[in-house]
């Protein structure tokens, strides 16, 4: 295997050193770096779990797997965060006439920083959760295959994929609910930019940052305040994750030409983007309810629970309230999830490469 020049290696993170070394031997370095394309032999979620299991012990998530998943998770969050802020404000506030009106008002009063409130906590938690979510999915899928078919090498059914996806969604909820509450509170907090305010002194914001927001919520609302909207988030993520992985797997099988048992690069892009759009489209009603429950601060007690929130929202604004932010969710979901699954397939090949060497 040819070694990388020292000056090039110094400019790259450690996880990429390993990836590059593994790919140079196959003379695919340029394609992998530019496109992050999966190898034609990459295993996708409807394939067997062979290479993931050695005896009764599943392979732990390797450092490269976690690092790449975390990087793509954090990057996708940072890039899509302004749209997420607009979505949350449209879902929780009724005075906006549409997406463009919300963007204009936010920029007019708070400038660019208004779109990035609470981004630090979100990037950190999504980076962590992105790694854990895909790892949970793979391990649950392998265990389900062992329980149902007696071997982890069996090809999973659509039900198996859905159950593993739902389990990954449940794990996400436990880890991400506090950061979601802080994110929504920060995004809906008004902090006029000094350049657009009058001569009157600026009012001090209640939350000075994501960590301060979590501290204030815990102090004023107790531990339960950190898990507001957990019921809506659990329903949203379990169902959407099941749909997400099942749609991706089914589209890969359907779009892969006869004679090939692995999806190509374009198939992964299309399947991943479509899976994200469908999952987020169906999850939007629960996403609206989740945001409304989480923005309900101490002393307001506007909503008593998920059902009460749904009933009151529909009574006041009609059924269309459940689809606020649908367009933004779909617009953001396609490109983000294309990148997510291309990275996922590439990392699977990377881990299989070293697993097969052992």
């Amino acid at each position: 295997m040819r070694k990388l020049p020292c000056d090039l290696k110094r400019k790259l993170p450690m996880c990429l050193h390993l990836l590059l070394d593994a790919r140079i031997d196959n003379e695919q370095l340029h394609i992998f770096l530019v496109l992050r394309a999966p190898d034609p032999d990459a295993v996708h979620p409807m394939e067997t779990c062979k290479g993931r299991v050695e005896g009764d012990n599943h392979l732990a998530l390797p450092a490269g797997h976690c690092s790449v998943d975390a990087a793509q998770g954090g990057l996708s969050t940072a890039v899509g965060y302004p749209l997420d802020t607009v979505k949350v404000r449209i879902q929780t506030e009724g005075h906006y006439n549409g997406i463009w009106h919300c963007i204009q008002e936010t920029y007019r009063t708070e400038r660019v920083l208004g779109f990035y409130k609470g981004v630090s906590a979100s990037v950190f938690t999504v980076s962590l959760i992105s790694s854990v979510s895909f790892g949970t999915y793979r391990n649950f899928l392998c265990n389900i295959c062992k329980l149902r078919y007696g071997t982890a090498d069996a090809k999973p059914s659509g039900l198996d994929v859905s159950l593993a996806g739902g389990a990954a969604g449940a794990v996400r909820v436990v880890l991400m609910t506090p950061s979601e509450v802080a994110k929504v509170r920060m995004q809906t907090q008004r902090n006029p930019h000094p350049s657009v305010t009058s001569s009157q002194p600026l009012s001090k914001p209640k939350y000075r940052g994501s960590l301060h927001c979590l501290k204030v919520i815990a102090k004023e609302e107790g531990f339960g305040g950190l898990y507001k909207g957990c019921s809506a988030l659990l329903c949203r993520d379990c169902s959407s994750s099941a749909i997400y992985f099942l749609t991706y797997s089914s589209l890969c099988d359907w779009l892969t030409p006869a004679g090939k048992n692995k999806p190509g690069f374009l198939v992964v892009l299309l399947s991943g983007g479509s899976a994200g759009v469908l999952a987020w489209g169906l999850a939007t009603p629960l996403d609206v309810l989740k945001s409304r429950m989480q923005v309900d601060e101490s002393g307001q007690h506007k909503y008593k629970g998920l059902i009460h929130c749904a009933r009151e929202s529909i009574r006041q604004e009609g059924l269309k309230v459940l689809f606020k932010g649908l367009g933004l969710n779909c617009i953001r979901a396609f490109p983000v999830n294309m990148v997510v699954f291309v990275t996922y397939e590439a990392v699977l090949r990377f881990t299989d490469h070293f697993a097969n060497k052992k």
Side-chain angles (χ1 to χ4, degrees), residues 7-57:
D7 59 337
L8 176 58
K9 274 197 164 188
R10 283 195 295 267
K11 298 178 182 178
L12 298 169
M14 182 57 66
C15 62
L16 281 184
H17 295 177
L18 299 175
L19 289 173
L20 291 173
D21 285 342
R23 305 302 267 178
I24 286 176
D25 190 44
N26 295 326
E27 297 181 356
Q28 294 174 342
L29 172 61
H30 177 69
I31 295 177
F32 188 81
L33 278 177
V34 175
L35 298 177
R36 286 292 178 89
D39 190 271
D41 295 326
V43 179
H44 69 91
M46 288 293 280
E47 296 291 326
T48 68
C49 293
K50 188 175 183 180
R52 289 287 174 274
V53 182
E54 185 177 4
D56 291 329
N57 297 318

Side-chain angles (χ1 to χ4, degrees), residues 77-89 96 99-120 122 183 186-191 328:
T77 299
V79 171
Y81 199 82
L83 290 178
D84 188 70
T85 298
V86 174
K87 179 205 70 174
V88 169
R89 291 191 172 190
Y96 294 116
I99 296 173
W100 185 243
H101 182 234
C102 181
I103 293 174
Q104 285 180 315
E105 285 299 303
T106 300
Y107 181 76
R108 184 181 66 82
T109 57
E110 302 171 73
R111 295 295 186 257
V112 175
L113 292 180
F115 295 97
Y116 285 93
K117 289 180 177 178
V119 68
S120 57
S122 185
K183 177 182 77 70
M186 290 293 295
Q187 287 174 324
T188 54
Q189 178 176 255
R190 290 286 184 265
N191 297 119
L328 282 172

Side-chain angles (χ1 to χ4, degrees), residues 3 170 233 265 300 305 326:
K3 297 297 183 181
L233 192 58
F265 176 59
Q300 294 179 347
L326 174 62

Side-chain angles (χ1 to χ4, degrees), residues 10-273:
R10 283 195 295 267
K11 298 178 182 178
L12 298 169
M14 182 57 66
C15 62
L16 281 184
H17 295 177
L18 299 175
L19 289 173
L20 291 173
D21 285 342
R23 305 302 267 178
I24 286 176
D25 190 44
N26 295 326
E27 297 181 356
Q28 294 174 342
L29 172 61
H30 177 69
I31 295 177
F32 188 81
L33 278 177
V34 175
L35 298 177
R36 286 292 178 89
D39 190 271
D41 295 326
V43 179
H44 69 91
M46 288 293 280
E47 296 291 326
T48 68
C49 293
K50 188 175 183 180
R52 289 287 174 274
V53 182
E54 185 177 4
D56 291 329
N57 297 318
H58 293 290
L59 291 175
L61 289 175
H65 192 299
C66 294
S67 298
V68 176
D69 272 351
Q72 60 86 6
L75 180 60
S76 64
T77 299
V79 171
Y81 199 82
L83 290 178
D84 188 70
T85 298
V86 174
K87 179 205 70 174
V88 169
R89 291 191 172 190
I90 289 176
Q91 290 176 340
T92 57
E93 302 170 20
H95 61 270
Y96 294 116
N97 298 326
I99 296 173
W100 185 243
H101 182 234
C102 181
I103 293 174
Q104 285 180 315
E105 285 299 303
T106 300
Y107 181 76
R108 184 181 66 82
T109 57
E110 302 171 73
R111 295 295 186 257
V112 175
L113 292 180
F115 295 97
Y116 285 93
K117 289 180 177 178
V119 68
S120 57
S122 185
V123 168
F124 175 77
T125 54
V126 170
S127 297
L128 170 65
I129 292 166
S130 182
S131 295
V132 174
S133 180
F134 276 88
T136 300
Y137 167 75
R138 290 297 304 180
N139 283 312
F140 263 88
L141 190 60
C142 289
N143 278 299
I144 289 172
C145 288
K146 289 182 70 176
L147 289 173
R148 293 193 64 187
Y149 312 116
T151 174
D153 293 345
K155 183 175 180 178
S157 66
L159 176 61
D160 301 331
V161 173
S162 298
L163 290 174
V171 171
R172 286 172 58 89
V173 172
V174 175
L175 297 174
M176 73 184 295
T177 302
S179 68
E180 276 287 306
V181 175
K183 177 182 77 70
V184 169
R185 296 284 179 90
M186 290 293 295
Q187 287 174 324
T188 54
Q189 178 176 255
R190 290 286 184 265
N191 297 119
H193 193 273
S195 64
V196 298
T197 57
S198 61
S199 57
Q200 297 179 351
L202 293 173
S203 59
K204 189 176 181 180
K206 182 176 182 179
Y207 307 120
R208 298 194 296 269
S210 298
L211 292 179
H212 182 254
C213 180
L214 290 172
K215 181 179 178 181
V216 171
I217 293 172
K219 181 180 179 180
E220 294 183 353
E221 305 172 44
F223 181 77
L226 297 175
Y227 279 85
K228 267 192 174 179
C230 183
S231 56
L233 192 58
L234 184 65
C235 293
R236 186 198 77 175
D237 277 19
C238 286
S239 59
S240 65
S241 290
I243 295 169
Y244 183 60
F245 285 105
L246 178 60
T247 301
Y248 173 73
S249 300
S250 300
L251 284 176
C252 280
D253 281 350
W254 183 51
L255 295 174
T256 300
K260 291 187 178 181
N261 58 356
K262 306 295 186 295
F265 176 59
L266 293 179
V267 171
V268 171
L269 285 178
L270 182 59
S271 300

Side-chain angles (χ1 to χ4, degrees), residues 294-349:
Q294 290 178 336
V295 80
D296 194 11
E297 297 186 8
S298 176
Q300 294 179 347
H301 301 296
K302 188 175 180 181
Y303 304 117
K304 300 175 183 177
L306 175 60
I307 302 300
H308 183 251
C309 179
R311 186 170 60 245
E312 287 297 303
S313 297
I314 294 174
R315 183 181 65 82
Q316 295 174 10
E317 303 177 52
L319 194 61
K320 65 181 182 180
V321 69
L322 298 179
F323 297 94
K324 282 188 171 183
L326 174 62
L328 282 172
N329 276 338
C330 294
I331 291 171
R332 186 183 58 170
F334 196 87
V336 167
N337 288 284
M338 285 195 305
V339 175
V340 166
F341 273 108
V342 166
T343 306
Y344 173 65
E345 293 283 0
V347 172
L348 282 181
R349 171 56 183 163

